[in-house]
Amino acid sequence: MKTQRVLTGITTSGTPHLGNYVGAVRPTVRASRLAEVESFYFLADYHALIKVGAPARVQRSTLEIAATWLACGLDPEKVTFYRQSDIPEIPELTWFLTCVTGKGVLNRAHAYKASVDKNNAANVDPDAGVTAGLFMYPVLMAADILMFNAHQVPVGRDQIQHIEMARDIAASFNHLYGEHFTLPEAAIEDHVATLPGLDGRKMSKSYDNTIPLFAPRDQLKKLIMGIVTDSRAPGESKSTEDSALFQLYQAFASPDETAALAKAYADGIAWGEAKELLFERLDQEIAPMRAVYDELIQEPARIEKTLKAGADKARAIATPFTARLRHAVGLRPLQTVAAPAASKAGKASAPAFKQYREQDGLFYFKLLDAQGALLLQSTGFAAPRAAAQAMAQLQREGSAALDALSSQIASRGEASALETALRSFSEPGV
Ligand code: TRP
């Protein structure tokens, strides 16, 4: 059985917080330990440039996120762990994909549309302050995913549209150039709750309500003591619903522990005491990882080396794949150039498909050999698209498609000549 390829990236634009840990890092590290998956995890630093114009911050965040993943147990021997900007094939693929992506599709991307809506509301130029980088974000992301033919992409809900776009872009490329890309799917972890922040809203850098994952113990305690609660006094029974404190606890504790806290809420535990419980429970899980993190962060050269080794592993796939894609789109060494399509005598110089319409109004195609002799004649199709699809299948699959299409084939030429001609489409360069 073919293993599933799982791939995901984190944009290197800030310091990892508890929300990133619960929503992204912890589930991906766990998934990477499953035997039947081949995982690709990377630091999306090209993506960071879209949002962050501060070079030192991009660099610092790259170090912090790399150290976080490693401290949380990602095994770089078992997975492919790399930095996006170490793979020059990714920007190259981005360009190939750019050329098959409708501009209108990108106009509809949520992040771009949000900026435009904001500008419209403010009565300024719709594209004011919008870079082409923001506009192209989904294409760069598609290149990340398609480069490694990932099946599953674990992401948050806000990223689903990007995965759908990657699928569409892959399908467009495949349609034009042959089946090169796997169509990826978003893997949404439904049971992973979005973590609330200090103020009860979703924990997010943009709300400035985050708890850094590896804040020192005393700072962690201080932050937890600052979580917003209602004003119920000790002894008064408390509601677990809408309690940020309770949700945070639940994200770390076992079901039994969570049930115990729910009971304590009903029994009127004091907020201070509940916060103390949360702090100790969090620290219990985080402290061992924090110790590793603090060590790692002191040794950036070691992390750099790990990432370089990961890039070698990733490029062992990306480099030959990109060579195939270059060939597919026509970026080829000139000594292999095919002779012009027609010679002076008007005869084809390579096998060629011809599509045409007959007096009967139906659409037909035929395959001619290099000398113009008939190798294959189709039956009539009502729609030109159906004829084109059958032709594309023959070009893609070669003689393997003959059986499946037998009812659409009116006549065939000599079998070995037909097979050779078909091979010239499915295996270009042979
Ligand atoms: N856009 C993703 C985010 O902000 C990060 C990302 C970049 C990504 N490339 C990716 C995620 C490829 C999954 C696959 O969360």
Side-chain angles (χ1 to χ4, degrees), residues 7-11 42 44 47 51 137 141 144-145 153 155 159:
L7 174 145
T8 198
I10 297 184
T11 305
F42 70 96
H47 276 101
K51 302 186 224 176
Y137 187 110
M141 185 157 157
D144 291 331
I145 298 167
V153 186
V155 285
Q159 297 291 315

Side-chain angles (χ1 to χ4, degrees), residues 256-298:
D256 282 352
E257 291 168 321
T258 306
L261 184 64
K263 174 148 192 321
Y265 264 54
D267 293 347
I269 187 174
W271 285 126
E273 206 182 318
K275 286 177 176 176
E276 189 69 39
L277 280 175
L278 171 62
F279 165 65
E280 288 301 342
R281 189 61 191 81
L282 271 174
D283 197 55
Q284 184 189 327
E285 180 163 334
I286 293 171
M289 300 187 294
R290 186 198 292 127
V292 181
Y293 178 86
D294 288 344
E295 251 176 56
L296 279 169
I297 211 100
Q298 298 306 320

Side-chain angles (χ1 to χ4, degrees), residues 203-238:
M203 191 179 290
S204 161
K205 246 181 343 224
S206 24
Y207 295 146
D208 199 17
N209 64 356
T210 65
I211 302 176
L213 173 58
F214 293 128
R217 199 179 135 89
D218 53 344
Q219 196 196 332
L220 178 65
K221 182 159 187 171
K222 228 166 103 193
L223 286 167
I224 288 176
M225 293 305 155
I227 293 172
V228 175
T229 57
D230 63 26
S231 54
R232 272 166 232 226
E236 256 186 279
S237 137
K238 298 177 172 61

